[in-house]
Amino acid sequence: MDRLWQDPKKRRVAAQLAMLGAIGVGLLSANDEFAQAGGDCFTENECTFKKPNFMIVLDYSSSMSEPFGAADETRWQVAVDAITALMTTNGGYFQENMRVGLMRFGHDDDPDVSGTTIPGDSSGIIDGQALDVHWYDREGEDQSYLECNGEAIIAALQTTPAPLCPGGPGACSGIGTWTKGAMDFTAALIAESKAAHPEDTVPGDERFYGLMVITDGAWTAAEGTPVLSPPEDNPAITAAALFDGQGIPTYVVAVADAGDLPFANELAEAGGTNESLAAANPTELFQAMGAVVQDIADQVVVPECTAGLPRVMVLLDASSSMLNVGEQPGEPGQTGWDLAREALAAGDNSLFDVEVENLGRPVEDLIHLGLAVFGGDDPAEERVLVQYGPCMQDNFAWALDPSTSCAEPGCDDPWGGPPILWSFVDGSTVSPFFDQATHSHMPACEAGFPFCTGSGTYTHRGLELVFDNLLAYRADPPDLYPADEDTQYVNVLITDGQYSGYSTDAQVQGALEALFAEGVVTHVIGFGDNLGSAEAQLQLMNMAAWGSGGQQGPFDADTQAELEAALGAIIEDIEFDPCCAFNDCSENPEPTTEEPDPGMDSFGTADTADSADTADSADTADGADTADGADSAEGADSAEGADSAEGADSADGADSAEGADSAEGADSGWEDGGWEDGDGTAGDSADEVGEGGDAGFGGEFNPNGRGCGCALEQADAAGGRGRVPWALLALFGLAGLRGVRGQTRGSRRRVRSPR
């Protein structure tokens, strides 16, 4: 068979199946025991595919009792083994994820009389067919579907005697091959099933129906003879009616000599599957059934889910006023910077902790958050500190912690007032060694005034950075966290002052409207008590309107509590797909490796001896410490407890002559130069913006937050089994599944499920 059914309307590989194909799992070998069918069945809901209804139409003619090629077993025995394997392999995933029926067919000695049996047959064939197992309860009051009926199918096969063969091998006879009678019977069952379950026929949401004919000989008339006559008993007539009228395919597995006969291809072509699957020996029979399973897997339409968890970029004002309280540098926990850090990530009611009511999950589980800042323009201070990612709370809190960027000799007290010379570091290369690039940042606090100065409010530069980063991220999202044109993007601008004198209205308007044109709303929060003037309020209202197409106003937040409330209100406007596979940040913060990241209480201050950065690891504004910035021997600490010129750190954490920056030589983010690594600053090309955020997405496979293919149930505590769609069986074929018949009667064990 060159190709299977290729109806473009229905042939769509589900996201679940594609993910499973990458995992891989070994199938059972000839000596393996087989798992028991049945077990736990998943229940259909809005986040699962509709289970297909699939009928196995099994030839029960006497020729099925003939030997199968050179094997010691008969064709019937091998067929029973293959169907049993299909029901039991990998814990019974096939029969758990679809509804399976089983019918056998022979011939009808007297088609004009109802209730006719075949002389000598005790298997239950009546009027040419026997429905051994159905996929729904035809006699029940609600006619409900029968879930996970693999055990029923196995039991029916085990208790059914082999087809009549009174003449012995080579001369089996007594039951004919009225295939059209079986096809007509199945068509009637499908019509009954659809009538009993009208939800299966909703346009655009139809349930998949299919049948697989397993036969070893040419079709006959109803009475069992003659062969391939009369024309009205050709089963291809019914197969064509099912496929052309309802899109129901007929798969044909031609066993033994039937593989060389034209009737099998004729039946498959009429049924929309192009060619039959020839099985000249037992191994090919297993492979043929696996190919059928794979084709059905490719056609199961999974409910549409969004392409990825929403992405939210927080753009924080990093002007120097964020470090002051009035005309003085603020005390710890009192500055606008500290309060914003608490509201965003470090406090008990931070953005990451906001619970989404209809889902009962915190924001950190539902959104990929990123963090960017803006300040002065010479040098440019706008930067992406944390790229979009799951479970970034620790990264946010560390990047904005004043202690992170405070290292001697430039800083000995991050709240001590001017002058402070910050040392910016990347938390993926120094402790705490995040998986994702995480850059620390602080507003400038230069000498000249009793309060901090040096960083302005170049709002448009921060917005332009966010825009460039958006385009670069969309063009090349991380492999581990896919996104596409349907992924939601939202911006949150938090500012504590006017941009007058730094940015023009036209510059800010142009940047916000460009973002909105890309489908990204920018919410605006005015934070602090510096925005009470009429001019400041007008700027906030204008920015909110430009960033939302005129649909929204700004948020006014004077306190940390009001900032937290504003962030919570913004989250309420984001739509979440309940079918998404969300993160669980409580189990695995920043989930990209098997090594857990530290909690916030393990973050030391930058000025202790244990955490002071050496020249090899500390990031300066231009990316690396130079020899020009190293302390000379004359500048090293004295003999009273100080390190020698060879470079050991002193007890109080000062760097040695070989490794430390001097106060004069240390590079800052607002003196000569600027960021050298090109990961999100003005002047970088679009494909460089946000480069640092792409790091750290490799490592072990982890399904958390990979996007919103329909959610998969994870392993349950009792059985340790992950809920995996049934198509995985066919990805690797069913070759080699032998010896089932004897083994299913003995002790059974459940095979380890694919993870």
Side-chain angles (χ1 to χ4, degrees), residues 576-592:
F576 297 95
D577 190 330
C579 298
C580 290
F582 298 124
N583 306 304
D584 186 354
C585 298
S586 64
E587 292 293 328
N588 189 16
E590 203 193 7
T592 56

Side-chain angles (χ1 to χ4, degrees), residues 269-624:
E269 184 175 2
T273 56
N274 196 48
E275 292 180 346
S276 65
L277 291 157
N281 54 62
T283 297
E284 289 184 357
L285 176 58
F286 292 116
Q287 292 173 332
M289 293 177 64
V292 171
V293 173
Q294 178 61 69
D295 196 61
I296 298 172
D298 290 346
Q299 296 169 56
V300 174
V301 179
V302 177
E304 290 285 352
C305 296
T306 56
L309 297 175
R311 268 62 167 174
V312 173
M313 180 61 70
V314 176
L315 178 59
L316 180 62
D317 185 341
S319 58
S320 295
S321 58
M322 290 286 280
L323 300 181
N324 301 321
V325 176
E327 298 296 318
Q328 297 294 325
E331 295 294 324
Q334 300 300 313
T335 68
W337 188 264
D338 288 343
L339 298 177
R341 175 177 176 267
E342 289 287 311
L344 287 173
D348 294 334
N349 298 304
S350 76
L351 170 62
F352 287 85
D353 301 312
V354 173
E355 184 170 300
V356 178
E357 290 186 6
N358 61 326
L359 295 176
R361 303 283 292 272
V363 165
E364 66 174 350
D365 289 352
L366 309 178
I367 293 176
H368 286 203
L369 283 151
L371 175 64
V373 293
F374 66 94
D377 72 333
D378 187 18
E381 293 175 16
E382 63 272 9
R383 193 178 201 192
V384 175
L385 304 185
V386 181
Q387 186 59 275
Y388 301 110
C391 307
M392 292 289 107
Q393 182 171 12
D394 290 352
N395 305 63
F396 272 45
W398 181 89
L400 300 178
D401 188 345
S403 297
T404 301
S405 299
C406 181
E408 292 189 352
C411 172
D412 59 6
D413 180 359
W415 293 275
I420 298 176
L421 193 64
W422 304 107
S423 296
F424 299 145
V425 289
D426 179 354
S428 67
T429 61
V430 300
S431 178
F433 299 105
F434 290 117
D435 295 307
Q436 179 165 323
T438 302
H439 301 283
S440 70
H441 188 83
M442 290 295 296
C445 189
E446 296 178 354
F449 295 91
F451 49 86
C452 292
T453 59
S455 292
T457 311
Y458 285 87
T459 307
H460 76 282
R461 296 182 68 95
L463 292 168
E464 289 171 355
L465 166 66
V466 170
F467 178 81
D468 289 341
N469 184 71
L470 170 74
L471 297 184
Y473 185 90
R474 278 179 169 173
D476 187 23
D479 291 338
L480 191 59
Y481 305 111
D484 65 16
E485 65 275 5
D486 294 324
T487 302
Q488 295 181 76
Y489 290 84
V490 175
N491 296 328
V492 179
L493 169 62
I494 302 174
T495 182
D496 85 327
Q498 301 177 53
Y499 55 73
S500 302
Y502 303 103
S503 300
T504 66
D505 286 342
Q507 288 173 323
V508 175
Q509 179 179 1
L512 285 166
E513 290 182 344
L515 284 162
F516 186 73
E518 288 292 325
V520 182
V521 171
T522 300
H523 299 273
V524 178
I525 303 176
F527 179 50
D529 55 7
N530 296 326
L531 297 166
S533 69
E535 182 182 5
Q537 288 297 308
L538 179 60
Q539 284 187 0
L540 291 175
M541 287 188 290
N542 285 339
M543 286 193 292
W546 295 331
S548 65
Q551 300 300 307
Q552 296 183 356
F555 293 88
D556 189 5
D558 292 336
T559 65
Q560 176 185 331
E562 290 177 349
L563 177 57
E564 291 168 351
L567 293 169
I570 291 170
I571 295 301
E572 290 179 0
D573 286 341
I574 298 177
E575 295 181 0
F576 297 95
D577 190 330
C579 298
C580 290
F582 298 124
N583 306 304
D584 186 354
C585 298
S586 64
E587 292 293 328
N588 189 16
E590 203 193 7
T592 56
T593 69
E594 294 181 351
E595 180 180 352
D597 289 321
M600 287 307 302
D601 57 357
S602 68
F603 294 160
T605 59
D607 56 357
T608 64
D610 291 337
S611 63
D613 296 310
T614 66
D616 291 332
S617 62
D619 285 343
T620 63
D622 64 357

Side-chain angles (χ1 to χ4, degrees), residues 142-165:
D142 58 358
Q143 297 186 314
S144 59
Y145 280 117
L146 302 173
E147 303 290 348
C148 295
N149 51 6
E151 282 291 352
I153 289 176
I154 293 172
L157 291 170
Q158 296 289 350
T159 57
T160 298
L164 289 175
C165 184

Side-chain angles (χ1 to χ4, degrees), residues 608-610 612-614 637 641-644 647-656 659-660:
T608 64
D610 291 337
D613 296 310
T614 66
D637 294 317
D643 296 325
S644 67
D649 289 337
S650 68
D652 65 1
D655 292 317
S656 69

Side-chain angles (χ1 to χ4, degrees), residues 704-725:
N704 286 348
R706 282 185 59 92
C708 300
C710 289
L712 299 177
E713 297 179 42
Q714 299 301 312
D716 59 69
R721 297 184 59 214
R723 180 63 54 204
V724 183

